[in-house]
Amino acid sequence: MKSWKIVTGVLVFSQISLGMALAAAPSLDKIVKPSKGYVWRLDAANKLRLPRSWRVDPANRMSGSGQPSILNLAALTQELQKQGIQPKQVILVDLRQEDHGYLNGTAVSWYGDNNWANVGKSDAAIRKEEARRLEKEENRETPYYHLDKKKKPHYKGTEKVQAALTEQQAAALFGLGYARFACTDHTWPEPAEVDAFLQWQKNLPADAWLHFHCQAGKGRTTAYMIMRDIWLNGQQDSLETICARQHALGGQDVLHMTHKEGWRQTIDDQKIYRLKQFYTYVKELQQGKITQSWTDYLKENP
């Protein structure tokens, strides 16, 4: 009975929060804090198969998934080629803030609680530390860990590392383009990353194909696929239509997320709030009603 009341309360709260106009987005300042990384997390085994959470959106020339391993990248490239997409057209859009890369082709990341080990760090600092951390593992016996359902690490095994690569280096092996927008896991992307993404995607070649990925292929990947969909179709499609389309492909049902944990619900409420703002922002920007960046828009519309 107690658990039923908790779930019911969360659902009611969520529906109320979706239906009313808040004065400002829920604050995450007391929730999202840096956590110290402490183990190499096994993200994807190096097997010739498509990465988990794989989906394709041909109309918008994009796809999404969880973190691919090296052989997952090979399978991904082969699958897109079957659909007439050549490697030189594909841009691997890396959405991970956490240190990650490839050890002997296996996809790994340096795990801190909630994937928040790099919260507050600049992109340049993250890339520098990430490259150093990966290089340090070469010619070493390195232990891997996997996370259980409660996100606790468990020892998986040890392997002698013969080759360590960053994701940009891995993309180059397959002739793929590469772009990174380092976003904090679970949350709506930071304003600077959204601005960088919007500016970057304005100048893409007409035949470019974007493959978005985060760790699991759900939260951050869905957010960016929705942002891209809004940019391309927001003038004629409602936000509900766009979100339903991306959910049907295999992404998160972003407008209807609920959690038992209060801190996760606050994060999701903030994500919904920002998503609705972003839809309005893009429509007004493309209509010429506003000209400011997303960062400046949020200063006026917190």
Side-chain angles (χ1 to χ4, degrees), residues 1-31:
M1 181 64 71
K2 183 177 180 181
S3 61
W4 179 86
K5 290 181 178 179
I6 293 174
V7 173
T8 301
V10 168
L11 289 171
V12 170
F13 176 78
S14 177
Q15 293 303 312
I16 292 174
S17 67
L18 284 173
M20 66 182 182
L22 301 177
S27 174
L28 305 185
D29 292 344
K30 295 182 179 180
I31 297 175

Side-chain angles (χ1 to χ4, degrees), residues 209-225:
W209 181 281
L210 308 185
H211 180 76
F212 296 95
H213 84 81
C214 51
Q215 194 276 323
K218 293 296 185 179
R220 290 170 286 185
T221 298
T222 303
Y224 271 81
M225 292 181 76

Side-chain angles (χ1 to χ4, degrees), residues 279-298:
Y279 178 77
T280 299
Y281 168 77
V282 169
K283 290 195 72 168
E284 293 184 353
L285 184 69
Q286 292 179 337
Q287 292 169 1
K289 295 180 180 180
I290 57 175
T291 59
Q292 73 260 58
S293 68
W294 172 244
T295 300
D296 289 339
Y297 179 83
L298 291 182

Side-chain angles (χ1 to χ4, degrees), residues 5 8 10 24 31 55-56 72 98 104 119 127 135 148 169 179 184 187 195 201 227 230 235 247 262 274 277 299 302:
K5 290 181 178 179
T8 301
V10 168
I31 297 175
R55 67 253 197 203
V56 178
N72 289 167
E98 55 272 25
N104 293 346
V119 166
R127 292 188 188 223
E135 185 178 1
D148 62 22
Q169 291 169 331
T184 303
T187 69
D195 278 331
Q201 56 96 50
M227 284 197 289
I230 289 171
Q235 295 302 326
H247 176 50
R274 290 291 185 231
Q277 281 185 304
K299 292 177 182 177

Side-chain angles (χ1 to χ4, degrees), residues 5-302:
K5 290 181 178 179
I6 293 174
V7 173
T8 301
V10 168
L11 289 171
V12 170
F13 176 78
S14 177
Q15 293 303 312
I16 292 174
S17 67
L18 284 173
M20 66 182 182
L22 301 177
S27 174
L28 305 185
D29 292 344
K30 295 182 179 180
I31 297 175
V32 181
K33 302 288 186 180
S35 60
K36 185 177 179 61
Y38 55 99
V39 293
W40 281 115
R41 172 182 181 172
L42 177 60
D43 290 324
N46 197 29
K47 297 182 179 181
L48 188 61
R49 62 190 181 196
L50 290 170
R52 65 173 170 159
S53 304
W54 168 260
R55 67 253 197 203
V56 178
D57 183 352
N60 292 315
R61 295 189 65 81
M62 62 182 177
S63 50
S65 76
Q67 174 69 55
S69 66
I70 292 292
L71 288 179
N72 289 167
L73 279 176
L76 178 160
T77 303
Q78 292 170 3
E79 181 64 23
L80 291 178
Q81 283 183 301
K82 293 177 184 177
Q83 302 184 40
I85 310 300
Q86 300 306 310
K88 65 181 180 180
Q89 297 173 286
V90 179
I91 303 173
L92 194 61
V93 186
D94 179 0
L95 305 175
R96 303 189 68 179
Q97 182 186 64
E98 55 272 25
D99 291 357
H100 66 288
Y102 302 96
L103 301 179
N104 293 346
T106 297
V108 298
S109 57
W110 189 242
Y111 181 74
D113 293 341
N114 298 313
N115 269 347
W116 290 347
N118 284 341
V119 166
K121 296 180 182 179
S122 69
D123 285 8
I126 290 170
R127 292 188 188 223
K128 182 178 180 180
E129 179 189 66
E130 178 181 86
R132 178 195 63 78
R133 193 181 299 282
L134 288 166
E135 185 178 1
K136 185 179 177 181
E137 295 302 326
E138 288 190 335
N139 300 312
R140 293 180 60 179
E141 292 286 342
T142 299
Y144 301 116
Y145 293 77
H146 74 274
L147 303 187
D148 62 22
K149 293 182 179 180
K150 295 183 178 181
K151 302 300 182 182
K152 299 300 181 183
H154 295 273
Y155 177 69
K156 182 74 173 179
T158 300
E159 185 176 6
K160 176 71 175 291
V161 175
Q162 305 295 335
L165 297 173
T166 65
E167 188 164 317
Q168 186 168 9
Q169 291 169 331
L173 291 177
F174 294 93
L176 309 177
Y178 177 81
R180 185 174 186 177
F181 303 96
C183 300
T184 303
D185 201 4
H186 307 300
T187 69
W188 181 256
E190 293 80 357
E193 297 299 333
V194 173
D195 278 331
F197 172 70
L198 291 181
Q199 186 60 41
W200 172 79
Q201 56 96 50
K202 285 180 184 178
N203 302 311
L204 291 172
D207 66 347
W209 181 281
L210 308 185
H211 180 76
F212 296 95
H213 84 81
C214 51
Q215 194 276 323
K218 293 296 185 179
R220 290 170 286 185
T221 298
T222 303
Y224 271 81
M225 292 181 76
I226 287 175
M227 284 197 289
R228 178 67 172 164
D229 202 335
I230 289 171
W231 184 264
L232 296 175
N233 304 299
Q235 295 302 326
Q236 64 268 13
D237 291 347
S238 68
L239 177 61
E240 290 75 14
T241 296
I242 290 171
C243 290
R245 176 162 56 232
Q246 294 304 321
H247 176 50
L249 289 173
Q252 273 185 332
D253 187 6
V254 180
L255 291 178
H256 306 95
M257 296 185 296
T258 59
H259 285 279
K260 293 181 180 179
E261 299 92 347
W263 66 274
R264 285 298 301 272
Q265 189 61 55
T266 299
I267 286 176
D268 286 345
D269 290 341
Q270 199 251 22
K271 185 182 292 187
I272 293 168
Y273 187 97
R274 290 291 185 231
L275 176 56
K276 291 180 177 180
Q277 281 185 304
F278 181 79
Y279 178 77
T280 299
Y281 168 77
V282 169
K283 290 195 72 168
E284 293 184 353
L285 184 69
Q286 292 179 337
Q287 292 169 1
K289 295 180 180 180
I290 57 175
T291 59
Q292 73 260 58
S293 68
W294 172 244
T295 300
D296 289 339
Y297 179 83
L298 291 182
K299 292 177 182 177
E300 297 179 4
N301 302 276

